[in-house]
Amino acid sequence: MTCSQTSLKSLNTFGLSVSAERIVYARNTETLIESWKAHQEKPWLLMGGGSNMLFLDDFEGTVVVNQLKGISIEQTSEEWLIHCAAGENWHEFVKFTVKEGMAGLENLALIPGTVGSAPIQNIGAYGVELKDVCAYVDILDLNQNQMLRVTNKECLFGYRESIFKHQYRQGYVITAVGFRLAKEWQPTLSYGPLKVAEASLTTPQSIFDKVCEIRRSKLPDPAQIGNAGSFFKNPIIPTRDAEAIKRHYPNAPFYPQCDNLVKIAAGWLIDQAGLKGYVANHAGVHPQQALVLINLGGAQPKDLVNMAKHVRDTVYNKFEIWLEPEVRFIGPMGEVNAVEALS
Ligand SMILES: Cc1cc2nc3c(=O)[nH]c(=O)nc-3n(C[C@H](O)[C@H](O)[C@H](O)COP(=O)(O)OP(=O)(O)OC[C@H]3O[C@@H](n4cnc5c(N)ncnc54)[C@H](O)[C@@H]3O)c2cc1C
């Protein structure tokens, strides 16, 4: 279905007043293919919930909103095997599985967006990542009009990484995700605030409720204040650089990785750089969550870009660490390299 309305304001969680030449709502794969064939000579962009995007300007082409729906469930004696269409809302899907007694996704509650976007950056929260529960991802090759199934291993999942940001980025649509959830439930309570409440978190529903409670208290609701969640990735730095920081800041939050590397919390770096609550031209750094950049109302794309630049430069000047955006930057002709856009 092509919509006469071309504003993208309600379709991106930053709430930026940008538009597209055309917006198509795809409820089936035929619409996806038709729209690709008819409009691919101009920019063509697929969207889910628009919760991981920063539009830099009006989009000079077709935006296709993925609305493929449907969930089917099979089981063995040991596992639930759930096939979920890409246009289903992620949080509603998690809620459904928990309610139906299929545990495993409860730590990933309240993440905005669609199921189809979840594998792209291997969404993660509270000690669980999509890679831990994903069996496969189904994609449609728009040029060949052919469906492919990509196994978990083939997805090349990493921290906010997967093959869908590289080899399967242009000309492919994620149409469904397969989940494998063990019937023998193992709660994941390693993350601080869950660990503290461990004694009361004895069911998947109680973890789901707790995660929702923590997230609602910590993160701004995009319906109230425009944002795209964590704007930057947590940088991964050599252990020796981390040790140098630790000498000045003994309480710096570090998470050891393999190969003599350490992950450091980007929000902490921004906070230490004195930017929590910093505001300029309707854009800001959230006063409670330094990793979240916000549209205070009426911000233009350039205001958020300037804010991101300022944050990135200030953190570099203090710690000699360049932050890399997690959010995807969308220019008038399509996605652009976010680091280059801020350099
Ligand atoms: C308040 C808030 C909290 C958040 N918390 C978290 C968190 O805890 N953990 C986390 O990992 N993320 C978090 N995010 C980021 C975001 O919710 C996730 O990245 C989510 O998966 C994005 O889904 P979306 O459907 O909105 O993607 P969109 O923003 O619509 O799209 C993102 C990218 O995927 C592409 N794309 C979308 N759908 C498809 C498809 N079907 N096939 C191929 N390409 C596609 C788009 O072209 C774009 O490049 C948060 C965001 C917000 C606003």
Side-chain angles (χ1 to χ4, degrees), residues 102-324:
M102 297 177 282
L105 301 179
E106 54 280 356
N107 293 50
L108 298 174
L110 221 58
I111 298 179
T114 52
V115 168
S117 308
I120 300 173
Q121 71 155 6
N122 179 27
I123 59 166
Y126 300 89
V128 175
E129 288 181 316
L130 187 93
K131 71 170 172 51
D132 305 325
V133 288
C134 175
Y136 59 83
V137 176
D138 283 349
I139 57 174
L140 171 64
D141 178 337
L142 291 162
N143 291 311
Q144 305 295 326
N145 192 358
Q146 195 186 1
M147 293 295 301
L148 300 170
R149 178 157 289 185
V150 188
T151 64
N152 178 308
K153 202 165 168 223
E154 290 164 347
C155 288
L156 304 179
F157 288 125
Y159 167 61
R160 300 295 180 265
E161 262 299 341
S162 75
I163 199 166
F164 309 106
K165 284 189 170 182
H166 306 281
Q167 188 181 332
Y168 293 134
R169 188 166 69 93
Q170 275 297 106
Y172 297 90
V173 176
I174 294 174
T175 57
V177 181
F179 296 85
R180 193 186 292 282
L181 304 180
K183 286 189 174 173
E184 196 177 317
W185 182 55
Q186 293 286 349
T188 302
L189 300 171
S190 51
Y191 183 81
L194 296 184
K195 210 174 170 54
V196 171
E198 192 167 4
S200 64
L201 301 176
T202 53
T203 62
Q205 185 67 52
S206 63
I207 295 180
F208 174 92
D209 292 340
K210 189 73 189 171
V211 168
C212 291
E213 182 193 316
I214 300 169
R215 292 183 69 101
R216 285 198 178 100
S217 70
K218 277 176 51 173
L219 286 167
D221 176 357
Q224 314 289 330
I225 183 153
N227 77 91
S230 304
F231 195 90
F232 296 100
K233 294 182 204 170
N234 293 317
I236 296 175
I237 59 174
T239 306
R240 64 172 184 283
D241 294 356
E243 277 160 4
I245 295 177
K246 201 115 195 161
R247 279 198 285 281
H248 294 282
Y249 302 91
N251 297 325
F254 289 128
Y255 308 94
Q257 312 286 296
C258 47
D259 299 330
N260 269 327
L261 294 168
V262 170
K263 193 192 274 180
I264 176 162
W268 181 85
L269 294 170
I270 299 169
D271 192 5
Q272 291 301 312
L275 292 170
K276 216 183 225 181
Y278 176 77
V279 168
N281 299 324
H282 308 281
V285 177
H286 192 265
Q288 275 90 46
Q289 276 299 319
L291 195 46
V292 178
L293 300 192
I294 51 177
N295 174 1
L296 289 150
Q300 302 292 316
K302 68 172 177 357
D303 300 326
L304 281 154
V305 170
N306 288 340
M307 179 57 62
K309 261 189 195 152
H310 180 68
V311 168
R312 199 164 172 267
D313 292 349
T314 311
V315 166
Y316 182 80
N317 290 338
K318 190 165 174 79
F319 293 104
E320 293 192 7
I321 295 174
W322 283 118
L323 295 179
E324 234 183 77

